[in-house]
Amino acid sequence: MPALPAYPVDLRPCIPVQVAGRYQALGLREVLLQAHRIDDLALPLPPAHSALLRMLTAITAELTGLDDTNLSLDEWHERRRGLLTSGRGLKPQDVHDYCDASTWDLYDPHRPLLQDPRLAEQCTKTSGINKLVFGRPAGNNLSWLSVHTDTAPHPLPSDEAFWHLLIQHYYGAAGRCTTRSAGPHTSGRATAGPLRSTLSFHPQGATLLETLLLHQFPYRGGPQRPPDACPWQEPDPPDPVNPPPPVTWPKRLLTGRSRHAVLLIPNADGSAATNSYLTWAAQHPAYPATDPCLIIDTHTRAKAEQRDTPRRADADRALWRDLDALLLAGDENNTQRRPAVFDTLNDLPDAVRARLRVRVCGFDQDGRTTNSIWYTALTPPLWNWAEEHDPPAARRIAACRQAAEHLAALLRTHANTAWNETQTPTGGTPPAPRRGQKPSRWAREALALYWPRAEQAFWNLVHQNPDEASEPYPVFARTATDALRQAVRPDLARHRMAGPALARAVRALTAAATPAARRTKAARHAQP
C-alpha cells in the first residue's frame, strides 16, 4: 500500500531563520529547541512573519509557564525577567512533549494542521491553488504580471503552502468564496481575517527566544472558560454551526480568531499542494478582541462600536510617523494607544532594553478583497526613549512627529491654493481649497519631495539637535518650503502667475510655523 502524502511542519525544514548571519530552514520543533541561538525569523513574506510570531508567542507562553493565570503581576514579571537573563533555551523535553501532543502534518487525513478535512464534503467544488496564494490571479481575474492561470496552475511547494495558510487565517479576504454547507448554513461569503489591512509592531531582541519573551503580556482578567487552547490543541476543527468559544488569553487571542476554513490537497509525495478549498469558518459575528501587537486609534466622534480601530497599513506612510505611538504611555485624553505588548517592557534588564528594536509588518489591503503590497522594516534600538525611561526624549519625538504632520497638512493646503491661483484667469477669483479636495499636481509633487526630507530632518533633530527638537516647527517649515519651490520650479517660466502664487504660499508656510501663529490657532480652537 503506497504511503500517504505527509508534510509535518515540526520536522520538515519549512521555517527560514537567520543564525550567526547565515540563513537556513528548520522545522518548528528545531526552531523552538534552538530559539536561544537563532537571531531572527527570515520568512520572505512579512504577513507570514507576523502570523508565525503570534503562533510562536502562544507556544512559548505555555512552555515557559507565562500563561499561568494564577501568577500575580509581580510573579509574572519576575518569571519573565529570570528567563531573559538565564541565557538558557527552552527545556528540550518540554518542547518534545509539546510537539508530540499535537498533529503538525499539513496533509494528515483526520486533523491536518490549521485546516478542516470536512471541506471535501461540505464544499461544492475546490477553490484552486491560486486562490490560496497571495499574489496569484485566481478565477476570472486577469494575469497582468504573472505566469499563473487557473487553467494551468503551478503546484505550490509545501513550505510555501504553510506560509500562505498562515496569511489566509490572519489576513484573509472578505466576500465571495467557495460555497460551503454546514448544518443550517449554506453560504459562499466570508468575513475578513482579524488582521486584515493592519500594521503590526513586534518588539525584537537579540535572539528569537528573547523576541518571543518580549512578546509576552500578563493576564488581567477573571477565570477563563473554556480552558485556553490553540487550534492545533483542540480535538476537532472549529465548529461552523455554533458560536465560537470566547476569546481567551493568550492562545485564542493570538491564534484562534480566524474567519476562514482551508483544506490543502497535496501531490502524491506531499512535497507540494496542488489544489485547495478556501471558504468561511463561521457565520456568527466575531467576538470583539484587541490584538496585542496593534496600535489602536480612537475616533472620538465615531459611534461607540467604531470608536477604536487598529491602525491601518499604508505603504505611502513612512514608519517613523508611528514611533511616538509606541514610546508614549498614553492617557485618557490620548487618541492613540500603543500595542499591549509594549506596556510590559518597562521592567526589562538594562541590557535587553538597550538593544530592543521594533519589527514592523504591514499589509496594505482594503477591507475586502484588494491586496496592494506588503512591507516590513526594523527600527534602531529605541526603547530607552520610552516615556517611562526618558520622558523628555519621548516628548521631543512626539513633538517632532506632530510638527512634521502639521506642516505636511499646511503644505498640501497652500500648494492647492497656489495651484488654484495660477490656473484662474486674470481678474478672476480663485476657488478656495475645499475640505477633502484631492491634492493638485503641485501638492502631490511637493508632498512626495517633502516626506523623505522630513524623515531626515526628524532623525537629525532626535539624534543631533535635541535643543532644536523642542521647537521643531521652523525646521519642518523650511523643509516644506524647499519641497514646494522644487515642485513649482518647472512651471515658473510657463505660468505668469506661478511666481507670485509660490511667494504667497512660502510666506504662509513660514508664518504658520512661528510660535505666535500656533498660539493664535490654539486659542481659536479652545474657544467654545
Side-chain angles (χ1 to χ4, degrees), residues 16 82 92 96 137 139 210 232 248 252 258 319-320 342 392 479 501:
H96 289 301
E210 187 171 288
W232 50 88
T248 50
R252 285 196 180 91
S258 175
L319 295 174
W320 61 270
F342 288 86
T479 305

Side-chain angles (χ1 to χ4, degrees), residues 9 14-17 26 28 31 41-43 45-59 114 162-163 166-167 170-171 195 202 208 212 215 232 254-255:
V9 301
C14 59
I15 301 176
V17 297
L26 302 175
L28 178 68
V31 167
L41 299 176
L43 277 77
L45 313 180
H49 188 131
S50 182
L52 185 58
L53 275 176
R54 287 172 169 86
M55 180 176 172
L56 293 174
T57 297
I59 295 172
L114 297 174
F162 175 52
W163 307 343
L166 291 174
I167 301 175
Y170 285 90
Y171 297 88
L195 297 184
H202 301 280
L208 176 60
L212 297 176
H215 275 72
W232 50 88
L254 290 170
T255 66

Side-chain angles (χ1 to χ4, degrees), residues 184-249:
H185 303 299
T186 296
S187 176
R189 304 196 72 81
T191 51
L195 297 184
R196 185 166 182 85
S197 74
T198 62
L199 188 64
S200 291
F201 297 85
H202 301 280
Q204 180 153 323
T207 66
L208 176 60
L209 179 58
E210 187 171 288
T211 295
L212 297 176
L213 292 173
L214 294 176
H215 275 72
Q216 305 297 323
F217 53 105
Y219 185 60
R220 296 187 176 92
Q224 301 198 114
R225 292 183 177 84
D228 190 41
C230 294
W232 50 88
Q233 296 176 304
E234 302 279 11
D236 300 303
D239 185 350
V241 176
N242 298 307
V247 178
T248 50
W249 167 89

Side-chain angles (χ1 to χ4, degrees), residues 468-519:
E468 273 191 304
S470 60
E471 186 57 49
Y473 283 82
V475 174
F476 290 105
R478 291 193 295 271
T479 305
T481 57
D482 290 346
L484 181 59
R485 286 191 178 103
Q486 184 172 342
V488 175
R489 186 176 297 124
D491 291 322
L492 291 177
R494 292 197 292 267
H495 297 284
R496 184 169 62 86
M497 297 301 295
L502 172 62
R504 287 189 290 270
V506 168
R507 284 198 300 270
L509 284 170
T510 304
T514 62
R518 295 202 307 279
R519 283 196 299 270

